[in-house]
Amino acid sequence: MRFRFKEHYDQDIRLFADLADGLRYGSLLLGAVLLPFVLDDFLLGEATSVVIWAIAGMGLMLLTGHAGQVSLGHAAFLALGCYVNAILMNSFGLPFPLAFLLAGVISGLCGVAVAIPALRLHGLYLAIATLALSMLTEDIIVLAEPWTGGVIGLTAPTPEIAGLVIDRYAAPDLFYWLCLGVAVLVTLGYRNLLRSPLGRAFIAIRDSEISAQAAGISLARTKAAAFGLSCMVTGWAGALMGHFFYSFNHEVFTIILSIQLLLMIVIGGLGSIHGAWYGAVIVGLIPQAINLVRDAVGTVAVPGLETSLFSVLIVLFVLYEPHGLHGRLTKWKVWLDLFPFCRRDMFRRQKSYLRTERFR
Amino acid sequence: MTLLETEAVTVRFGGVVALHEVCLQVQSGEIFAIVGPNGAGKSTLFNLVSRFLDPDTGDIRFEGRSLLAQPPSAIAGLGIARTFQNIELFDHASVLQNLLIGRHTSRRASLPAQLLFLPSVRREEIAHREAVEQVIDFLELQPYRERMIAGLPYGIRKVVELGRALATGPKLVLLDEPASGLSVEETRDMGFWIRDLRDRMGITVVMVEHDMNLVSAISDRVLALSEGRVVVTGPPELVQSHPEVVSAYLGDAPEAVK
């Protein structure tokens, strides 16, 4: 058991609690950077997909896990980022960095526009409204044929940064590093937000809108900021996804993608950046795990196996570990830290008291 | 000096008249208690001041300015903090975070500055923390600083909620039943704190409370409400012995009926 002696408020504010913590995350980052030297091209592609999922997951985590606004429509913002990025590069000839930035910004602005009706919707109703948004987007992509290529879709041009051609197939390592760089920047920005007033305001509107207002937090502005930032990050993930898939059409961004994204952060653990990453790893690795097992057993492909395995995981997590993978790992860590003094009911939450819903 | 003033406010919920032409004046630096049986309109009065409700008629003034044009989120910035009858804390955050959310009105950093966590944001965070630590010291919350609200006992949550109200740096606090559900000892502590925050911090207190012992021990003036109407306003002993207050709480004694 160790005790962290605190002498300065900065110890609660800085990025890493102590040197060991910093080294841990530093070595993790180093490992991630060195991954292309270890993995073959196929596995590196899978790793890239995990990183892109993590970016999208962080986008949704910000909105759902921290600001408490459920969205079943984030595939719409993935699509928006993906198409805007490709259209800006194809039709307007913008260089990749500019098109990429704008794809996020435009998605974010659309997110703010969605936040205005969302101000009046709570919980289930918001989920239904965003679900409708996701379904609409599929149709809009088909209808806006001159721009989106309709059912045929578009191809994403090869990104180029300052003369460096980042071809997803010819240079998978460069593309992986690009995605990793974006992911690290998003993670840092997310972490900074959480230790700032706005991040606390998100938590406040999630837990009690009424006392958030009494503490001086404007619901409209805070929700608009949550939707804006969340959709911006999701838009970036979408743009990277477009380059990753190379060619895409409306069928990529279905309602299933929205649901998968939401369930991913539930499995990872709502309300933490870790949760978004854990969820992305799980979602990214399930197909690989299935392939490994199939190769070992030697059976033919079972249709729907991936989806059903995913569903079983969800059911198990919701029943036995609502705090997700991150919650489970935290519990193990505390158990080890306190060994042998950890009590069994340490994490059992006290029943919450009667809450006022009068102003909903 | 009159700090908070309501002028003939009336609130109707359909056919129910929750408040009928209620006038009250709270002087700066006093502890003002509002008593009355359930459904008398006490919490409605608080929700009017917090701007969660609009009055049908009448006006509410704070420091001489009408509050009616203000949205609920602007009230804390004017210097009015409040607690809730059924404790409205941020359950999945620590005590420290809850108190820091109380500092929201004094934040300065822009969104880009927060995303980059510039040195100015760090300095501001440390200043917020220092302000919050003073509240923690005042309310003796040190042992619970890092604890999640969801695991705390009821009595401590009440204190944290008071702390969050104090963290906003208010001129006036509205306490909705600060002693409900507290043990005798906790109630006494709460009474000391309420008196101290007036004496030492110069904060004016308006509280709704059912515990008449606490009310008569600490309040300067008491307003009795019954069925949305002001019965009497005055010093605690006068209000407590007022026949209409007694009948509102206990009902008319049979021999008093003609």
Side-chain angles (χ1 to χ4, degrees), chain B:
Chain B
M1 191 190 103
T2 305
L3 192 64
L4 179 73
E5 185 176 21
T6 70
E7 192 181 275
V9 287
T10 300
V11 177
R12 290 187 202 88
F13 297 120
V16 180
V17 182
L19 288 175
H20 181 75
E21 298 194 344
V22 171
C23 297
L24 67 83
Q25 290 186 329
V26 178
Q27 305 301 321
S28 191
E30 76 176 336
I31 297 178
F32 188 93
I34 299 170
V35 300
N38 289 331
K42 306 178 300 287
S43 294
T44 306
L45 199 56
F46 271 19
N47 288 336
L48 280 178
V49 179
S50 298
R51 302 292 303 117
F52 293 131
L53 286 176
D54 286 318
D56 291 298
T57 59
D59 196 8
I60 307 157
R61 283 190 291 271
F62 181 69
E63 296 182 312
R65 282 189 304 167
S66 175
L67 291 180
L68 293 186
Q70 306 286 348
S73 58
I75 297 302
L78 295 175
I80 305 177
R82 71 168 290 179
T83 66
F84 293 86
Q85 192 177 345
N86 299 318
I87 305 187
E88 288 280 346
L89 284 168
F90 310 116
D91 282 350
H92 301 284
S94 67
V95 170
L96 191 61
Q97 278 176 311
N98 268 270
L99 297 180
L100 281 170
I101 289 168
R103 300 291 304 162
H104 192 79
T105 50
S106 43
R107 77 202 185 285
R108 294 283 166 271
S110 65
L111 176 59
Q114 293 184 49
L115 285 174
L116 298 173
F117 212 75
L118 298 178
S120 61
V121 182
R122 186 183 296 265
R123 277 196 301 277
E124 201 186 307
E125 280 299 301
I126 290 176
H128 287 323
R129 181 69 191 271
E130 277 162 0
V132 159
E133 287 295 332
Q134 281 177 3
V135 174
I136 290 178
D137 279 346
F138 176 64
L139 296 175
E140 291 161 15
L141 282 169
Q142 295 91 341
Y144 307 102
R145 195 183 279 126
E146 316 270 315
R147 296 270 297 275
M148 295 282 272
I149 297 296
L152 287 180
Y154 190 82
I156 304 298
R157 292 184 197 209
K158 278 263 173 200
V159 181
V160 175
E161 213 189 14
L162 175 64
R164 188 181 58 196
L166 293 182
T168 62
K171 296 172 190 153
L172 170 72
V173 286
L174 310 173
L175 305 178
D176 203 343
E177 304 200 11
S180 71
L182 297 188
S183 69
V184 177
E185 201 180 332
E186 287 170 333
T187 304
R188 212 189 47 200
D189 282 348
M190 186 59 85
F192 288 145
W193 278 322
I194 293 172
R195 210 155 40 185
D196 274 0
L197 67 91
R198 190 264 311 262
D199 294 345
R200 302 218 313 240
M201 303 180 185
I203 298 170
T204 308
V205 179
V206 178
M207 63 171 187
V208 165
E209 186 50 65
H210 284 300
D211 186 334
M212 287 311 282
N213 287 330
L214 180 68
V215 168
S216 50
I218 63 170
S219 51
D220 301 310
R221 286 197 304 148
V222 179
L223 176 141
L225 273 179
S226 177
E227 292 170 357
R229 286 158 203 272
V230 177
V231 178
V232 62
T233 314
E237 50 283 6
L238 179 90
V239 171
Q240 239 178 329
S241 55
H242 193 278
E244 266 191 75
V245 175
V246 175
S247 77
Y249 265 104
L250 302 175
D252 290 312
E255 53 270 28
V257 180
K258 287 182 210 92

Side-chain angles (χ1 to χ4, degrees), chain A residues 10 12 192 207-208 211 356, chain B residues 88 92 114-115 122 129:
Chain A
D10 200 41
D12 280 347
N192 284 343
D207 283 1
S208 167
S211 65
T356 40
Chain B
E88 288 280 346
H92 301 284
Q114 293 184 49
L115 285 174
R122 186 183 296 265
R129 181 69 191 271

Side-chain angles (χ1 to χ4, degrees), chain A residues 51-59 62 74 76-86 88 96-108 175 178-179 181-187 189-190 228-244 253, chain B residues 115:
Chain A
V51 173
I52 295 173
W53 272 108
I55 300 171
M58 283 189 280
L62 184 67
H74 258 49
F77 296 101
L78 282 173
L80 194 65
C82 179
Y83 275 94
V84 166
N85 178 56
L88 286 179
F96 167 74
L98 193 59
F100 179 73
L101 267 180
L102 276 176
V105 171
I106 290 171
S107 305
F175 186 66
L178 170 71
C179 295
V182 173
V184 169
L185 288 179
V186 168
T187 310
Y190 196 168
L229 289 172
S230 162
C231 295
M232 182 170 77
V233 171
T234 311
W236 282 332
L240 289 176
M241 221 171 238
H243 289 298
F244 182 69
F253 302 100
Chain B
L115 285 174

Side-chain angles (χ1 to χ4, degrees), chain A residues 95-263:
Chain A
F96 167 74
L98 193 59
F100 179 73
L101 267 180
L102 276 176
V105 171
I106 290 171
S107 305
L109 290 176
C110 291
V112 173
V114 169
I116 295 166
L119 265 178
R120 300 193 169 276
L121 300 167
H122 292 276
L124 197 56
Y125 302 101
L126 182 61
I128 292 169
T130 49
L131 187 75
L133 183 75
S134 193
M135 296 170 84
L136 268 176
T137 306
E138 281 178 61
D139 292 333
I140 291 172
I141 293 172
V142 176
L143 290 173
E145 211 220 303
W147 288 37
T148 61
V151 289
I152 298 157
L154 289 179
T155 54
T158 308
E160 195 181 314
I161 299 176
L164 192 65
V165 180
I166 306 174
D167 191 298
R168 179 229 179 297
Y169 297 104
D173 46 355
L174 286 181
F175 186 66
Y176 168 78
W177 282 323
L178 170 71
C179 295
L180 188 66
V182 173
V184 169
L185 288 179
V186 168
T187 310
L188 274 178
Y190 196 168
R191 184 75 173 75
N192 284 343
L193 196 67
L194 289 185
R195 48 185 182 150
S196 306
L198 187 62
R200 286 194 297 266
F202 287 164
I203 293 173
I205 62 166
R206 176 190 70 190
D207 283 1
S208 167
E209 288 196 355
I210 179 133
S211 65
Q213 281 178 295
I217 294 167
S218 156
L219 287 187
R221 293 178 61 173
T222 312
K223 282 189 185 177
F227 270 94
L229 289 172
S230 162
C231 295
M232 182 170 77
V233 171
T234 311
W236 282 332
L240 289 176
M241 221 171 238
H243 289 298
F244 182 69
F245 291 146
Y246 177 63
S247 74
F248 46 85
N249 65 0
H250 66 293
E251 282 173 355
V252 174
F253 302 100
T254 56
I255 187 75
I256 301 297
L257 190 69
S258 285
I259 296 173
Q260 198 174 10
L261 196 59
L262 184 68
L263 296 183

